[in-house]
Amino acid sequence: MNAPAKTEELAATVPAGVYAETVTSVQHYTDRLFRFRMTRPDGFRFRSGEFAMIGLMVDGKPVYRAYSIASPAWDEELEFFSIKVPDGPLTSHLQQIKQGDHVLMRKKPTGTLVLDALTPGKRLYMFSTGTGIAPFASLIRDPETYEKFDEVILTHTCREISELKYGFDLVEEIAKDELLSEVVGGKLRHYATVTREAFPYQGRITDLISNGKMFADLGVAPFDPAVDRAMICGSAAMLKETKVLLEQAGLTEGANSKPGEFVIERAFVD
């Protein structure tokens, strides 16, 4: 999708080799979470699950942070899901954007949460906490994910129920999309858990894996290297603990250069 013509003033401040894209919509979920969409530059290519460096001009200087692209590779726009940090170098400003504003984006996307970094399997787990669901928002809307796996299990753990809404919105959007819902069929399962409020599924995802409750709730067998593949994105503690649990089950970590049975994204947002 082509962005509206940039003003001369804006063009003069945009660093070389950087896109300046127009915000098309903003949705605030809680006082800590929001998503926004913006125009996609002509020729910008990425693999679902990758992240980009996005930013704003702050006091005359560009400030960037790594953000997973939440929209799938086929989308005409780019979507991002963000936390709000009152004193964050970028998020304190980014949370104030509105339709028509401009966001900077460096031209090269990257990341490890891509299908190419996994060896073939039958079941794909996507383990996320908080805004770590963003790369999976891209992947669960990409038909290729369902071409490669018979079952896709998206787990999303947050402190409060209100913080889960983005995930539920994504699943609902897929169900309402005529073409996507046909591709996805019954392959996508959504397992949302909360740690600080009463909810049907409660607890840290690593605890629910360790005690077997997650497998019982989903009606699936424990991790099996011959069947299961996994992607992990979220808090540092969750990344570390989930990695240990997967390795204990015999799964090995992969990367773009050497595909494996699970991959981790270690890029963070302030």
Side-chain angles (χ1 to χ4, degrees), residues 132-151:
I133 193 175
F136 305 139
S138 173
L139 285 157
I140 64 171
R141 290 183 280 184
D142 191 325
E144 186 183 356
T145 302
Y146 304 96
E147 292 171 7
K148 292 195 169 185
F149 293 94
D150 298 331
E151 186 175 21

Side-chain angles (χ1 to χ4, degrees), residues 11 37 46 56 82-83 104 108 123 127 155 197 201 222 255:
R37 292 177 67 86
F46 69 97
L56 296 171
S82 178
I83 55 173
L104 305 178
K108 185 171 176 54
R123 180 186 297 121
F127 295 110
T155 85
E197 292 184 301
Y201 301 116

Side-chain angles (χ1 to χ4, degrees), residues 20-34:
E21 296 307 307
T22 305
V23 176
T24 58
S25 66
V26 181
Q27 180 178 0
H28 293 271
Y29 280 93
T30 69
D31 59 359
R32 294 185 65 251
L33 299 168
F34 71 106

Side-chain angles (χ1 to χ4, degrees), residues 112-113 230-233 239 243 253-254 262-266:
T112 55
L113 297 182
M231 294 177 160
I232 317 169
C233 190
L239 297 184
K243 171 184 166 73
E253 185 174 356
F262 72 91
V263 286
I264 299 174
E265 187 54 80
R266 294 184 171 90

Side-chain angles (χ1 to χ4, degrees), residues 161 164 168 191-195 197-202:
I161 297 169
L164 294 173
F168 283 107
Y191 186 69
T193 79
V194 166
T195 59
E197 292 184 301
F199 195 66
Y201 301 116
Q202 280 185 271

Side-chain angles (χ1 to χ4, degrees), residues 32-247:
R32 294 185 65 251
L33 299 168
F34 71 106
R35 76 160 149 177
F36 67 94
R37 292 177 67 86
M38 67 185 196
T39 52
R40 178 174 177 169
D42 285 341
F44 179 70
R45 299 285 179 265
F46 69 97
R47 295 177 295 173
S48 294
E50 289 189 314
F51 66 86
M53 300 299 293
I54 66 170
L56 296 171
M57 296 298 293
V58 178
D59 297 328
K61 296 180 180 179
V63 177
Y64 298 98
R65 289 294 183 272
Y67 270 79
S68 291
I69 303 170
S71 46
W74 54 261
D75 202 323
E76 292 184 346
E77 292 186 337
L78 298 176
E79 179 177 313
F80 298 92
F81 185 48
S82 178
I83 55 173
K84 306 176 187 180
V85 180
D87 56 354
L90 177 61
T91 59
S92 60
H93 301 280
L94 192 64
Q95 64 185 281
Q96 299 175 33
I97 60 171
K98 56 188 182 300
Q99 188 174 345
D101 287 348
H102 292 97
V103 173
L104 305 178
M105 183 175 70
R106 289 181 181 162
K107 295 190 174 184
K108 185 171 176 54
T110 188
T112 55
L113 297 182
V114 292
L115 296 171
D116 294 343
L118 292 174
T119 54
K122 295 182 179 179
R123 180 186 297 121
L124 174 60
Y125 285 96
M126 299 174 175
F127 295 110
S128 68
T129 56
T131 54
I133 193 175
F136 305 139
S138 173
L139 285 157
I140 64 171
R141 290 183 280 184
D142 191 325
E144 186 183 356
T145 302
Y146 304 96
E147 292 171 7
K148 292 195 169 185
F149 293 94
D150 298 331
E151 186 175 21
V152 177
I153 298 174
L154 170 66
T155 85
H156 189 205
T157 301
C158 295
R159 294 181 301 179
E160 300 167 1
I161 297 169
S162 61
E163 297 173 336
L164 294 173
K165 184 168 170 37
Y166 179 62
F168 283 107
D169 282 357
L170 291 171
V171 173
E172 185 177 346
E173 287 169 16
I174 291 171
K176 289 182 177 179
D177 186 296
E178 188 175 350
L179 295 176
L180 204 50
S181 62
E182 188 173 327
V183 171
V184 174
K187 289 187 173 184
L188 177 63
R189 304 181 67 184
H190 182 203
Y191 186 69
T193 79
V194 166
T195 59
R196 295 189 182 178
E197 292 184 301
F199 195 66
Y201 301 116
Q202 280 185 271
R204 298 163 69 245
I205 191 64
T206 47
D207 291 339
L208 297 172
I209 294 170
S210 297
N211 63 24
K213 191 173 187 308
M214 182 193 75
F215 303 109
D217 288 340
L218 293 168
V220 298
F223 295 137
D224 179 350
V227 175
D228 297 310
R229 299 294 176 264
M231 294 177 160
I232 317 169
C233 190
S235 68
M238 191 276 279
L239 297 184
K240 184 178 179 180
E241 292 175 33
T242 308
K243 171 184 166 73
V244 169
L245 290 167
L246 290 168
E247 288 178 337

